[in-house]
Amino acid sequence: LGSGGFSVVFKAIRDTGEQVALKLLKPGTAGDATARKRMISAARAASAVEHPNLVRVLDFGFSGTSPFIAYEYVPGPDLGELAAGADPPDATAALRIASQVLAALAALHAHGILHRDVKPANVFIDRQGNAKLGDLGLASAARWHAVRLIRLAGRRCRVNMAREPHRL
C-alpha cells in the first residue's frame, strides 16, 4: 500500500477474514532502535485515541524483535490522490474533509498528542467520502513540546538580557 523512511505497509488479511493495513519495519531498519521506538510510539499514540476520523489500531505486537501494527484498512485513495484525480472534490466536499481532519486533530490534542505529519498522503478517504487521518509515526506528546518551547524561550531571554541594549 505504501512505504516511508522506516516502514512499509501491506494489505493483509487477518485470521477473521478482515482486511487490514499491516505496517512493518523495512528489513534494513529492523535492527534500528530509533525505528523500533518510533513504531512503538506510533502504536501507543494511535491506540490511545478513538475517533471516527482516525485510522484505528486493531493490533500491535512483535515478530521476533521487529514491531508491527495492524490498522483498519481504509479502501479508497488518500487525499493527494483524490485531489490529483480526474474528479477532485468540490468545495463542499473539501470543507467536509477539512472539518473531519480538524476533528481528528482536536481528538489527538485533547489527549495531549501532536500528529506532526499532517499531509494529503496521510489522510485516507473511505468509500463514503469520509476522511480518516493516519500515520502517527512522528506523533509526540504535546506537553514535551510546550516544555521545550518554554526552555528555548527562557534561554533566548537570558541570552538577550545579557547583551548590550543596542544589540538587541
Side-chain angles (χ1 to χ4, degrees):
L1 296 173
S3 66
F6 288 104
S7 61
V8 62
V9 181
F10 297 96
K11 184 176 174 183
I13 299 175
R14 295 176 84 178
D15 292 340
T16 61
E18 177 183 21
Q19 292 181 341
V20 298
L22 184 63
K23 186 174 195 172
L24 304 168
L25 288 178
K26 288 181 176 176
T29 61
D32 184 338
T34 301
R36 281 196 313 273
K37 186 176 178 180
R38 187 177 287 177
M39 276 278 276
I40 293 166
S41 176
R44 287 182 179 148
S47 61
V49 184
E50 287 189 31
H51 189 274
N53 299 115
L54 286 171
V55 176
R56 291 178 301 128
V57 171
L58 302 173
D59 197 5
F60 168 71
F62 289 86
S63 176
T65 59
S66 186
F68 70 86
I69 307 172
Y71 292 101
E72 76 173 297
Y73 173 67
V74 181
D78 67 43
L79 183 56
E81 294 166 340
L82 182 67
D87 189 23
D90 62 16
T92 302
L95 285 172
R96 186 184 72 252
I97 290 168
S99 175
Q100 291 172 346
V101 171
L102 290 171
L105 288 170
L108 289 171
H109 294 176
H111 284 82
I113 299 168
L114 295 178
H115 188 285
R116 296 181 52 215
D117 196 22
V118 178
K119 59 186 180 185
N122 289 338
V123 177
F124 304 97
I125 309 300
D126 68 15
R127 289 189 177 131
Q128 291 74 40
N130 294 310
K132 288 188 171 272
L133 181 61
D135 195 354
L136 275 75
L138 296 179
S140 65
R143 185 176 52 115
W144 179 85
H145 287 282
V147 168
R148 185 167 180 250
L149 287 173
I150 290 168
R151 285 182 184 150
L152 287 173
R155 195 174 312 139
R156 182 177 180 108
C157 288
R158 282 192 298 274
V159 169
N160 285 342
M161 284 187 227
R163 295 181 126 182
E164 296 141 359
H166 68 279
R167 295 189 183 242
L168 291 177

